[in-house]
Each structure stands twice: as structure tokens, then as C-alpha cells.
Amino acid sequence: MSTSTRPAPVLGTAPRWRNLALYAFAVFGWELVVGLALDGAIRGAVGERWAPAVHWLVTAAGWLAGALLLLRHAPWRADDPVATPAGGARRAAYAAAALVLAVGSRAALTHEWKPLAEATRLRDDVGSAFAPSLAALVVYYLVEVLVIVTLLGYGQRWGEASRGRPDVPWGGFVLATTWGLVHVLLQGPAGGAYAMGAAVLYGVLHRAVRGRLGPTYALVAAAFVL
């Protein structure tokens, strides 16, 4: 019987994962820079009708660069050695429940379905620029999800390295107390409370697929966009 000579993966230390999680959170700050330093120039260059689309694309470009830079350090693996190898059916049930709860609670809170409501508002705001603006908004959301997933992954590693218990959605808790908490300032107490709750549910989705990047991204994108 042969034995594998493959070296054990280096999982890193809690401070390293903490720092990477905080770097991922800092990537979100790029939109603040765009809003404060660039939006005036954008409006002057393209006009009010096209300004939102350009804002979203410039923001998404910065987020994408930051996320890809951070993901170079990420141990995204199908054979995640610190994940709990729970049964596939149970993981699927957790994922389905978290997805339905994330989408359903937002619809109940806002009394609208996000894709339809945002498309309607956008059409009213930008008129003939609707189609390219909608495409820019979709790009913006999909890249935001990538940053969210990056923060989830590093937050999960931070929690596991410092507390153990890989079955706990540490990444969701870290996301809730960073990205989620900021929404209290941006959207008020109700919007912030939803964002924090959704962040924890995203953490559940992350654990349900054992932290794999592709499945985590697909599930969080569905919950976030729908």
C-alpha cells in the first residue's frame, strides 16, 4: 500500500486570516472613493443620465482588481481540510433553506421583488439609457458578490483558526459585523438589520458547499441578486 507524499496544506494563522478579511472589507471602500472623488467628474463628462452606469462600472473595476489580488492568497479547494464532511443531502437542505430565507425575507421586508423593482426604478431614472445601465448594474452586483465571497472565505478561516468549529458560519458573522453593519448607516436600521441577517445566511451557504469558491459564488449571487 502506497502512502501519499503530498504535503499538508498550510492553513495559516488567525492574525493572517483576520488581516486578509479586513483587507477584503477595505476593498468595499473603493466605492466611497469613487463617490467622493470621481462622481462629479463622471457627471461632467457623460451627463446625469449616464452617470450611474459609469459609476457602477468604475466601482466594479476597482472591486474586481482588489478581489482578484486577495484571491491569490486564498486556499480555495474542493478538499477543504477544515470543512465538515457532512452528508450531501443535509448540505443541500441547508443551502436551499438559507437561499429561500434570504430572498423571501427581503421580499417581505421591502414588499417587492428586487430584480423587477430595481429594473422599474432604473427605467424611470435613465430612460433611453436603460439597457446599458441595467447591464452595468448587473456587472456591479456580480463583482460585489465576488468581494463578499472573498470576505466570507477569509472570515471563515479566521474564525476556524481562532475558535475551531468549522461547522459554524464564522465568515457570515464577520461579514455581518463589517459589510452588514455598514448598511445601518447607508440604509437605516431596517435595511442594516436585513443586511446583517443576510450576511449570516451567506455564511451558511458558504459552509453548505464546504467553502468551495464556485458553488459559494453561485449561491450567494442568486441570494443577492434575486
Side-chain angles (χ1 to χ4, degrees):
M1 182 177 64
S2 62
T3 59
S4 174
T5 59
R6 180 182 178 185
V10 178
L11 298 183
T13 62
R16 178 173 185 260
W17 300 127
R18 177 200 62 208
N19 292 342
L20 287 168
L22 294 178
Y23 292 152
F25 176 53
V27 169
F28 284 113
W30 170 244
E31 184 166 27
L32 180 62
V33 174
V34 174
L36 294 177
L38 300 179
D39 272 358
I42 290 172
R43 285 193 297 271
V46 302
E48 291 290 340
R49 178 169 295 182
W50 292 96
V54 177
H55 169 94
W56 293 325
L57 291 176
V58 171
T59 300
W63 282 349
L64 181 62
L68 292 179
L69 182 63
L70 285 170
L71 284 171
R72 294 174 57 193
H73 303 280
W76 301 103
R77 296 183 303 274
D79 58 336
D80 184 346
V82 295
T84 301
R90 187 170 65 181
R91 293 199 306 272
Y94 288 158
L99 183 60
V100 169
L101 186 56
V103 175
S105 60
R106 180 173 55 222
L109 179 66
T110 62
H111 305 289
E112 61 186 23
W113 185 45
K114 180 178 179 179
L116 179 60
E118 295 209 352
T120 300
R121 284 192 291 267
L122 185 61
R123 184 183 294 277
D124 292 340
D125 290 342
V126 303
S128 60
F130 170 72
S133 295
L134 180 62
L137 181 59
V138 170
V139 169
Y140 170 88
Y141 279 149
L142 292 179
V143 177
E144 184 174 6
V145 170
L146 183 61
V147 184
I148 287 172
V149 170
T150 303
L151 180 50
L152 272 177
Y154 287 134
Q156 184 67 32
R157 291 293 193 180
W158 178 15
E160 290 173 358
S162 59
R163 301 285 185 177
R165 296 290 304 277
D167 54 315
V168 174
W170 300 114
F173 297 146
V174 173
L175 184 67
T177 54
T178 51
W179 174 85
L181 190 59
V182 166
H183 282 73
V184 175
L185 302 176
L186 299 176
Q187 299 178 358
Y194 168 77
M196 294 177 72
V200 175
L201 293 174
Y202 299 160
V204 173
L205 293 174
H206 176 264
R207 299 322 300 146
V209 295
R210 299 178 63 190
R212 289 173 292 173
L213 178 58
T216 299
Y217 181 86
L219 287 170
V220 174
F224 189 76
V225 173
L226 297 178

